[in-house]
Amino acid sequence: CKQHTEDRGMKIIIAGAYAIGTYLAQFLSRNKYDIILIDEQEENLNKIGQNYDLLTLQGKPTSIKVLQEAGVKHADLFIAVDPKETINITACTMAHNLGAKKTVAKIDNPEYMEPKNQELFKQLGIDSLIYPELLAAKDIINGLKMSWVRQRWDVQGGALVMLGIKLRKTCEILDKPLRDISGPNDPYHVVAIKRRNETIIPDGNETLKQEDLAYFMTTKEYIPYIRKLTGKEHYVDVKNVMIMGGGRTAVRSVKIMPEYMDVKVIERSIERCEYLNEMFDESQLVINGDGRDTDLLIEEGIRHTQAFVALTPNAETNILACLAVKSLGVKKTIAAVENFDYVDMAANLDIGTIINKKAIAAGYIYQMLLDANVDNVRFLMSVDADVAEFIPVQGSKITQKPIKDMNLPSGMTIGGLVRHEGCMLVSGNTQIEAGDIVVVFCYNTNIKKVEQLFN
């Protein structure tokens, strides 16, 4: 175990240096937490240890000796994200009994997520269960409900909404300074822009360009107005969906799909098809075949399908399949891209919504770390930024002056707030009050610095 260089406050132990664990460790190390990553395999630790500011410890996360060596009794948060669910449950139970303040276990059994079973896990000492496939499925369904939006993020049940929209030449507000099109009285703010590989937190002089991915903060009733402004009215609503790959994320997506959507799942493995047929209703069709086979897709009605979701374990397969169906006229494509090396490529190839379970799960765990009353945090991979809902306490700095006089950290934008069930966008003159639910966009900003304004 590498030596501690300094005591940096919150102590986090992550068990399992696999996809979610290593990503989470990287993601958190940039925010200067005191992190220890435990794994039995030395090569898993070596990949990450040298490149990031964290400690590594080789050993079993279910070993009392290893947990004690990691300093579990001083841990503010113990996160078990090993591929084996049983290891995660056992490790969290042990960590809790050895003194960890809060524990989180990654699971893969949907039965455990039922509300009546959550209490059982609390009694075992597990504060929170995380099921990445279900979190990913919710994002997929959100994407299908609004086919013209790349990414949607709801605050307080959708009272305030952030929409990530790809701008084409049909957009009415291109090449005009934002101060002229998005002033204090307009019903939306542009909080961030992704232009090729650059993220821009815009000021009043910035203009929107064709092919930008722009993030709009607005209120629920103005969503149709944003759709018109951005020239997306010709996008049809999704009624027919085709999913390539019948893994766990596909199953969860089908299970929570709205009734008005018809779905076909294309899966290569006959055994898996048989399992899917048992899991699904008769109206949900399972087809044995390869989703990259264009003739099969045409035969199954891809030309009359509004959305295609590629969920195989292979990022390249998913990206190529989405490109192929776009050429056949499908407007809405969603691809699972677990390999971060391909995320920018997928965005530049314009394949649509990108789903990454690691990033979604990490954002979900991240919100448990913040001391302020933070309700909801998302890491927006496409713009390498965080969006969070903060609730300021009485007397906190953010409530003492109007926003324009606050000298906010660079890279921080306040998008809007919810007050007494009503929601509003903010301008420089807005005075934030204790108890408001405030949506904050952070790019290249330590979120802990932002948090101090609300405490």
Side-chain angles (χ1 to χ4, degrees):
C1 188
K2 296 178 197 166
Q3 291 302 304
H4 284 260
T5 51
E6 56 180 304
D7 180 32
R8 293 181 303 184
M10 184 172 271
K11 182 180 175 73
I12 301 163
I13 298 173
I14 301 172
Y18 293 85
I20 294 172
T22 51
Y23 177 64
L24 192 59
Q26 292 165 15
F27 179 60
L28 295 176
S29 68
R30 67 181 194 175
N31 281 300
K32 301 287 183 250
Y33 291 104
D34 181 1
I35 299 164
I36 292 187
L37 182 61
I38 302 175
D39 199 279
E40 213 176 341
Q41 307 296 324
E42 193 176 0
E43 61 267 28
N44 288 355
L45 298 172
N46 288 344
K47 281 178 203 160
I48 185 172
Q50 284 90 25
N51 301 324
Y52 292 90
D53 187 9
L54 52 86
L55 308 170
T56 58
L57 178 61
Q58 190 184 350
K60 278 187 175 176
T62 52
S63 153
I64 293 172
K65 182 169 172 285
V66 169
L67 291 174
Q68 286 173 333
E69 201 178 325
V72 73
K73 72 176 174 188
H74 303 299
D76 295 285
L77 185 63
F78 181 89
I79 304 162
V81 283
D82 190 274
K84 291 195 179 73
E85 176 183 76
T86 49
I87 287 177
N88 296 332
I89 291 169
T90 307
C92 281
T93 304
M94 291 169 73
H96 169 79
N97 283 291
L98 290 167
K101 286 196 187 72
K102 228 179 193 182
T103 66
V104 185
K106 179 180 90 71
I107 52 110
D108 50 33
N109 184 342
E111 181 192 16
Y112 294 165
M113 296 305 291
E114 289 171 21
K116 65 176 192 281
N117 296 331
Q118 299 276 324
E119 196 46 49
L120 167 68
F121 285 98
K122 287 248 178 358
Q123 288 165 15
L124 288 171
I126 302 170
D127 296 289
S128 192
L129 298 174
I130 189 159
Y131 186 14
E133 288 79 10
L134 180 60
L135 295 174
K138 286 177 177 171
D139 272 17
I140 289 165
I141 299 306
N142 261 345
L144 294 175
K145 283 179 181 170
M146 294 178 75
S147 61
W148 52 282
V149 168
R150 283 286 171 91
Q151 232 175 342
R152 172 179 174 156
W153 193 77
D154 286 359
V155 180
Q156 295 301 297
L160 267 176
V161 184
M162 191 184 69
L163 305 171
I165 301 171
K166 187 78 171 180
L167 305 182
R168 310 292 188 189
K169 60 177 183 284
T170 50
C171 177
E172 294 176 13
I173 48 175
L174 296 178
D175 304 313
K176 297 170 184 169
L178 286 179
R179 75 162 70 78
D180 296 345
I181 57 168
S182 175
N185 301 319
D186 286 293
Y188 67 90
H189 286 332
V190 178
V191 289
I193 301 165
K194 178 70 179 253
R195 185 168 294 153
R196 291 180 290 280
N197 292 332
E198 181 192 5
T199 294
I200 299 162
I201 302 297
D203 59 19
N205 300 319
E206 189 58 65
T207 59
L208 296 172
K209 304 284 184 200
Q210 195 175 323
E211 302 305 318
D212 281 355
L213 176 60
Y215 284 86
F216 293 82
M217 183 69 72
T218 190
T219 54
K220 202 174 198 170
E221 66 270 31
Y222 282 100
I223 292 173
Y225 177 68
I226 300 292
R227 185 173 187 169
K228 180 180 178 299
L229 275 188
T230 53
K232 299 287 183 177
E233 287 178 304
H234 64 289
Y235 270 69
V236 293
D237 291 333
V238 172
K239 296 274 194 312
N240 297 304
V241 182
M242 209 175 273
I243 298 177
M244 176 173 89
R248 287 207 295 253
T249 305
V251 172
R252 290 301 111 210
S253 300
V254 171
K255 289 284 186 189
I256 61 170
M257 200 166 277
E259 281 182 14
Y260 66 84
M261 289 185 192
D262 291 320
V263 64
K264 288 181 180 179
V265 178
I266 300 175
E267 167 57 48
R268 288 171 70 179
S269 156
I270 289 179
E271 290 84 356
R272 186 69 184 172
C273 285
E274 287 167 1
Y275 169 78
L276 294 174
N277 274 321
E278 287 171 25
M279 291 290 290
F280 295 161
D281 298 337
E282 285 173 16
S283 62
Q284 296 159 339
L285 295 177
V286 179
I287 294 134
N288 179 228
D290 190 334
R292 293 169 298 182
D293 180 346
T294 309
D295 291 339
L296 172 68
L297 295 180
I298 291 168
E299 194 181 312
E300 291 299 335
I302 192 75
R303 293 192 196 281
H304 311 291
T305 297
Q306 294 86 38
F308 181 83
V309 186
L311 298 176
T312 77
N314 187 300
E316 294 128 296
T317 300
N318 295 340
I319 291 167
L320 291 170
C322 286
L323 287 172
V325 300
K326 274 196 165 249
S327 70
L328 295 170
V330 178
K331 279 267 190 290
K332 179 73 183 179
T333 58
I334 299 176
V337 182
E338 291 304 314
N339 183 335
F340 283 104
D341 297 339
Y342 289 109
V343 169
D344 275 346
M345 181 179 84
N348 291 334
L349 285 170
D350 209 12
I351 62 153
T353 301
I354 295 160
I355 294 288
N356 183 294
K357 286 190 311 228
K358 287 179 274 196
I360 295 167
Y364 186 83
I365 293 169
Y366 189 28
Q367 71 192 45
M368 299 173 198
L369 302 179
L370 299 168
D371 303 329
N373 198 348
V374 185
D375 232 21
N376 195 356
V377 177
R378 280 304 290 275
F379 174 61
L380 300 174
M381 205 166 37
S382 49
V383 282
D384 193 26
D386 302 307
V387 192
E389 290 172 33
F390 283 99
I391 303 171
V393 297
Q394 200 72 44
S396 56
K397 274 188 206 150
I398 200 85
T399 61
Q400 290 169 15
K401 298 180 204 163
I403 288 171
K404 67 176 188 305
D405 302 328
M406 277 303 305
N407 194 18
L408 298 175
S410 66
M412 172 186 170
T413 308
I414 296 178
L417 59 84
V418 178
R419 179 179 294 164
H420 313 307
E421 307 300 310
C423 55
M424 56 197 266
L425 297 173
V426 299
S427 68
N429 298 319
T430 304
Q431 177 78 54
I432 290 170
E433 296 174 7
D436 287 349
I437 297 158
V438 184
V439 180
V440 178
F441 199 96
C442 306
Y443 172 66
N444 270 350
T445 315
N446 186 339
I447 206 162
K448 298 298 280 183
K449 202 186 279 183
V450 174
E451 193 187 347
Q452 286 158 14
L453 296 169
F454 290 83
N455 277 344

